């Protein structure tokens, strides 16, 4: 027995063209760059008290560009008079960006009213405001569209152009979440503990920062673990995704402070990828075993490099031996858990 939705699905969906993928990539880049500009403006000019700023202009014109692009891509995949059933029959590579556009439209409309009625959010309010949550979710779903569209093709490996498209699409899907979760992230934030109190109390900035390492580990690993389920990862793609996000987060929020944390994390990502690519073929385990090894080794090695450079630069990591070793162990366990979950999620049938 089939449901009405299953009956409505086409036997074979029209393939997505390279032009459609690249145009959506440009539109989603426009959208996310608008968020970056707006976040940077609020971080450096806290006295902004109006909705009508150039940065909002870039952001909301990016929403419009993405919406019209999705309508253009849908034009040949829907009947002359679209119905609820025909929209549900679209492939997942289109349905997810369309859901993202719905979140953007709702969030953008609510955000306009919100600012005019209750004013501009400050500090933690920015990360909790309902309209901002919808906007960030919508951005991530729209920006991942080009990668989803490419994934519907038969290619077993990514070409140079495909790797570039997937890398940029993934970057613009992950970056808004990194920006939005700044309050719970070790990226673009203080990497070292204060070391002022021993033992460290439970409710303290040091204890909160432990969660930042865990959250950042998950958020950095998930994108290229998921990509690795569909294609073999081209050399440098994972490192670039970590390095660019680390540098951009520092540039946007901590550019007046020392650059060594972001640059150390970026350099560690490249060094780790080289070492792991040389070592893992020598380990006689399957693909899942190699990914688990990666999750176990990469996070504590990367964060350990940051803490080591912090010890050299600052004279102390700010953590005692209990917290330092426990933190690195926790990131290793987090890496393994992230690998197991991300590689175990099953693909839904069309």
């Amino acid at each position: 027995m089939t449901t009405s939705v299953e009956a409505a699905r086409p036997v074979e969906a029209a393939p997505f063209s390279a032009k459609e993928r690249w145009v959506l990539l440009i539109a989603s880049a426009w959208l996310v760059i608008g968020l970056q500009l707006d976040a940077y403006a609020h971080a450096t000019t806290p006295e902004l008290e109006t909705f009508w700023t150039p940065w909002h202009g870039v952001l909301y014109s990016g929403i419009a560009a993405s919406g019209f692009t999705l309508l253009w891509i849908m034009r040949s995949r829907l009947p002359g008079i679209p119905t609820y059933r025909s929209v549900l029959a679209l492939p997942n590579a289109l349905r997810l960006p369309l859901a993202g556009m719905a979140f953007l439209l709702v969030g953008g409309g609510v955000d306009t009213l919100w600012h005019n009625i209750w004013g501009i959010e400050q500090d933690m309010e920015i990360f909790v405001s309902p309209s901002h949550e919808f906007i960030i979710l919508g951005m991530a779903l729209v920006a991942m569209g080009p990668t989803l569209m490419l994934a519907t093709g038969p290619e077993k490996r990514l070409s140079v152009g495909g790797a570039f498209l997937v890398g940029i699409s993934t970057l613009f899907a992950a970056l808004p979440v990194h920006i939005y979760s700044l309050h719970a992230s070790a990226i673009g934030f203080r990497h070292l503990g204060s070391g002022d109190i021993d033992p460290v109390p439970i409710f303290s900035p040091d204890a909160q920062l432990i969660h930042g390492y865990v959250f950042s580990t998950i958020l950095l690993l998930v994108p290229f673990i998921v990509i690795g389920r569909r294609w073999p990862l081209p050399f440098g793609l994972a490192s670039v995704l970590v390095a660019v996000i680390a540098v951009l987060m520092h540039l946007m929020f901590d550019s007046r402070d020392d650059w060594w944390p972001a640059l150390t994390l970026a350099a560690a990502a490249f060094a780790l990828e080289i070492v792991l690519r040389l070592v893992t073929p020598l380990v006689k385990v399957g693909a899942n075993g190699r990914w688990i090894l990666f999750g176990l080794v990469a996070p504590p090695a990367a964060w350990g490099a940051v803490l080591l450079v912090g010890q050299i630069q600052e004279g102390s990591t700010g953590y005692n031996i209990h917290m330092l070793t426990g933190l690195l162990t926790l990131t290793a366990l987090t890496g393994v858990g992230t690998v197991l979950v991300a590689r175990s999620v099953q693909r839904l049938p069309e």
Side-chain angles (χ1 to χ4, degrees):
M1 180 177 179
T2 60
T3 65
S4 58
V5 172
E6 290 170 338
R9 286 175 179 159
V11 176
E12 184 176 356
F16 297 101
S17 68
K19 181 179 180 181
E20 289 173 327
R21 296 192 296 265
W22 283 98
V23 171
L24 182 58
L25 183 70
I26 293 171
S28 59
W30 181 351
L31 171 65
V32 176
I33 289 172
L35 171 69
Q36 291 180 267
L37 292 173
D38 187 53
Y40 181 78
H42 282 285
T44 56
T45 313
E47 64 271 13
L48 282 178
E49 288 293 340
T50 177
F51 176 84
W52 305 105
T53 67
W55 326 121
H56 275 179
V58 177
L59 172 61
Y60 283 91
S61 61
I63 293 177
S66 298
F68 284 119
T69 299
L70 287 171
L71 290 175
W72 168 67
I73 295 174
M74 290 168 55
R75 77 194 190 289
S76 61
R77 294 174 172 85
L78 289 175
I81 302 178
T83 64
Y84 172 76
R85 186 179 298 181
S86 64
V87 171
L88 287 183
L90 291 169
N92 284 331
L94 258 181
R95 282 187 290 187
L96 287 176
L98 284 173
M101 181 52 56
F103 282 116
L104 282 169
L105 292 175
V106 172
V110 171
D111 198 46
T112 306
L113 295 174
W114 197 276
H115 289 324
N116 284 302
I117 296 174
W118 287 290
I120 306 295
E121 300 93 329
Q122 300 290 333
D123 300 322
M124 272 294 291
E125 300 163 359
I126 296 172
F127 306 111
V128 185
S129 174
S131 57
H132 290 177
E133 294 174 7
F134 280 102
I135 290 173
I136 295 299
L137 176 58
M139 282 186 180
L141 293 176
V142 170
M144 69 174 60
T147 294
L148 295 173
M149 292 175 182
L150 185 62
T152 62
E155 296 83 1
K156 300 296 184 183
R157 290 182 174 274
L158 287 170
S159 64
V160 174
F164 185 78
L165 180 138
V166 168
I168 298 298
S169 173
T170 304
L171 172 65
F172 285 133
L175 188 59
V177 186
H178 281 283
I179 294 172
Y180 186 75
S181 60
L182 178 67
H183 61 296
S185 172
I187 305 175
F189 190 58
R190 178 169 52 88
H191 287 258
L192 306 180
S194 65
D196 295 331
I197 304 174
D198 192 7
V200 176
I202 293 176
F203 300 103
S204 68
D206 285 359
Q208 293 173 30
L209 189 57
I210 299 299
H211 297 283
Y213 282 93
V214 172
F215 189 86
S216 297
T217 296
I218 297 171
L219 199 52
L220 286 172
L221 292 184
V222 164
F224 48 83
I225 293 175
V226 174
I227 294 172
R229 293 189 60 193
R230 175 60 178 83
W231 304 283
L233 283 176
F235 177 76
L237 178 60
S239 301
V240 167
L241 286 175
V242 173
V244 171
I245 286 173
V247 170
L248 284 178
M249 290 291 285
H250 183 87
L251 178 66
M252 291 173 62
F253 299 108
D254 289 324
S255 57
R256 297 175 183 174
D257 297 328
D258 293 336
W259 276 84
W260 64 260
L263 296 180
T264 301
L265 184 58
F270 283 101
L272 277 168
E273 180 168 4
I274 293 172
V275 171
L276 288 172
R277 284 185 180 271
L278 291 174
V279 171
T280 50
L282 304 177
V283 181
K284 302 304 180 181
V285 295
N288 283 333
R290 290 196 295 271
W291 276 102
I292 290 172
L293 178 64
F294 162 77
L296 182 67
V297 171
W303 294 122
V306 173
L307 293 167
L308 177 61
V309 174
Q311 174 73 37
I312 297 170
Q313 292 287 328
E314 307 293 337
S316 171
T317 63
Y319 295 118
N320 60 35
I321 187 64
H322 311 290
M323 291 191 66
L324 184 61
T325 55
L327 171 61
L328 295 180
T329 302
L330 188 58
T331 60
L333 296 175
T334 301
V336 171
T338 303
V339 168
L340 291 174
V341 172
R343 287 188 62 81
S344 299
V345 174
Q346 298 300 308
R347 178 179 179 274
L348 295 176
E350 289 290 341

